[in-house]
Amino acid sequence: MMKRLTFLALAASLLTAGAAQAQYPDKPVRIIVPFIAGSAPDVAARQVAQRLTASLGQQFVVDNKPGVAGNIGAEVAARAAPDGYSLMLMTSSHILSPLLYAKVNYDPLKDFVPVTMITRIPSLMVVPPTSPAKSVMEFVALAKSMPGKLNYGSGGAGSLAHLSAEAFRLAAEIDYIHVPYKGAPDIVLALLSKQIDVGFPTMPTAFRPAQQGTLRALAVTSARRSKVMPDVPTLLEAMPDGFALDAWLALAAPAGTPSPIVTRLYTALVEGLKDPAFRSSLDSDGSEVVFNSPAEFAALLQTETAKWQALITRVGVKLE
């Protein structure tokens, strides 16, 4: 009799859980953004929240939790209940942080369930328009002719711009000087004022000055040419030992979130791409819309982690 009651209780529990998932969402959902309002992740999260609100009939709201290169918000999201009502706007920096910092209180692979990668964001290798280098290999030749004399700007040690420039240094076998700034906009300003010789700011920050001719674009760091600057070659095309590195934005949920909820979120976003306004809001700045499946994104996280680990080890970057 006791076994029968236990079985009935378990069956009732599973039915209740199944019904709750089928009705998901039946209350507002928060998307934790580990960066400040107005940042690129925040803007993307608000676009995604608006789309999910329209598709699923419940409010999806952005909850900004900035600090320590996104680590504070990531920790909050990792500890949230795995019920689908707390999600996170994940970025490539959340893969980098555990590789760079001595202590990070979350594991990007174990503490989250991937929903989908939203966009890939390439960087643009740019120089001042007065630079004698009109191509990547001309810049390599220039740097080799004056070792240790040229400099590059970045958003600080461990930033994407820093790691991209160091990857380029290794691939091109050149020597130049690192000048850290606070972020990609500062790199552009430094290039415009000719304080630095080259930089690798993100495409959304740099492509308009490059289009206008106030900066000269030598290459894009993505695997394919950008549709907003189709005449600019990739580093893979432009140099013998070229490489592809880019940032990305993604949607994730705390580990343990039921797969039917993850699938429902993913399906709603993919359906949203049928809306031209939603797609254009995500890729109008040179970003590439992805929306891969949860399984594809999970596999990609493994690949991305291994790639960045290898580069960080070679460069020898470690942050406190």
Side-chain angles (χ1 to χ4, degrees), residues 19 42 72 85-86 97 107 220 262 306 314:
D42 175 76
I72 290 177
Y85 291 95
S86 290
S97 285
D107 186 315
V220 63
V262 171
R314 288 186 70 194

Side-chain angles (χ1 to χ4, degrees), residues 2-205:
M2 183 61 71
K3 289 183 178 179
R4 179 176 174 78
L5 289 174
T6 302
F7 173 77
L8 289 174
L10 177 61
S13 174
L14 291 173
L15 286 171
T16 301
Q21 292 171 25
Q23 295 167 7
Y24 174 85
D26 60 5
K27 61 181 180 181
V29 179
R30 67 170 177 163
I31 301 177
I32 297 169
V33 177
F35 302 95
I36 61 171
S39 61
D42 175 76
V43 172
R46 293 179 189 279
Q47 292 162 343
V48 166
Q50 185 178 22
R51 184 67 252 170
L52 290 174
T53 296
S55 296
L56 299 180
Q58 279 288 346
Q59 281 292 115
F60 282 72
V61 296
V62 168
D63 184 10
N64 296 94
K65 300 284 185 185
V68 195
N71 292 344
I72 290 177
E75 290 173 19
V76 171
R79 306 295 173 256
D83 56 7
Y85 291 95
S86 290
L87 309 174
M88 186 179 82
L89 199 290
M90 180 182 276
T91 76
S92 46
S93 68
H94 293 114
I95 291 291
L96 292 173
S97 285
L99 303 176
L100 291 167
Y101 288 91
K103 184 179 180 181
V104 173
N105 295 322
Y106 71 90
D107 186 315
L109 300 180
K110 294 180 181 178
D111 290 338
F112 296 97
V113 174
V115 177
T116 187
M117 184 180 285
I118 299 167
T119 57
R120 279 192 173 277
I121 307 168
S123 296
L124 203 59
M125 181 183 178
V126 283
V127 297
T130 54
S131 171
K134 294 180 172 58
S135 70
V136 170
M137 293 312 296
E138 285 186 10
F139 182 87
V140 172
L142 179 66
K144 287 187 174 182
S145 72
M146 43 195 310
K149 301 295 184 183
L150 301 183
N151 53 36
Y152 72 88
S154 85
S159 67
L160 179 68
H162 175 226
L163 295 175
S164 296
E166 285 299 295
F168 182 79
R169 177 182 65 80
L170 293 169
E173 299 180 336
I174 60 172
D175 180 23
Y176 52 9
I177 300 169
H178 179 205
V179 181
Y181 293 92
K182 290 182 179 179
D186 293 324
I187 301 172
V188 171
L189 290 174
L191 285 162
L192 291 172
S193 59
K194 303 174 188 175
Q195 296 177 31
I196 56 176
D197 299 295
V198 67
F200 291 78
T202 56
M203 176 71 80
T205 308

